[in-house]
Amino acid sequence: VLILGMCFFAGGLRFSEQGFHQTATQIHSSLLSISVGALLLPAAYHFALSGAQDSSSAEQKKDILRMSHGVSI
């Protein structure tokens, strides 16, 4: 949000009116949604398994790390 605000500010200093392409805006918002999902998926997995008593903490960390690597690709 800081970078976006600085871009608006800097663009406002130079131009009186700014235009945005609808396609580029849709692509960027889709990429933002995918990245938020990629961050939330391992966190949700961690909190879902933290209540289970039968699996060890080291095993959970290993599984979450594998999921995080898979989501990042």
Side-chain angles (χ1 to χ4, degrees), residues 37-67:
L39 287 173
L40 290 179
L41 189 61
Y45 183 72
H46 168 70
F47 287 117
L49 291 182
S50 63
Q53 300 297 329
D54 58 345
S55 61
S56 68
S57 177
E59 184 180 330
Q60 279 183 354
K61 287 181 183 179
K62 194 166 106 177
D63 290 341
I64 291 171
L65 185 61
R66 269 193 244 142
M67 177 186 281

Side-chain angles (χ1 to χ4, degrees), residues 4-71:
L4 181 63
M6 292 300 294
C7 290
F8 286 150
F9 179 73
L13 289 176
R14 184 163 183 196
F15 303 107
S16 62
E17 186 174 325
Q18 298 180 25
F20 297 97
H21 295 285
Q22 184 179 5
T23 305
T25 305
Q26 288 175 349
I27 290 172
H28 287 106
S29 64
S30 297
L31 289 173
L32 179 64
S33 299
I34 290 170
S35 65
V36 167
L39 287 173
L40 290 179
L41 189 61
Y45 183 72
H46 168 70
F47 287 117
L49 291 182
S50 63
Q53 300 297 329
D54 58 345
S55 61
S56 68
S57 177
E59 184 180 330
Q60 279 183 354
K61 287 181 183 179
K62 194 166 106 177
D63 290 341
I64 291 171
L65 185 61
R66 269 193 244 142
M67 177 186 281
S68 181
H69 288 159
V71 167

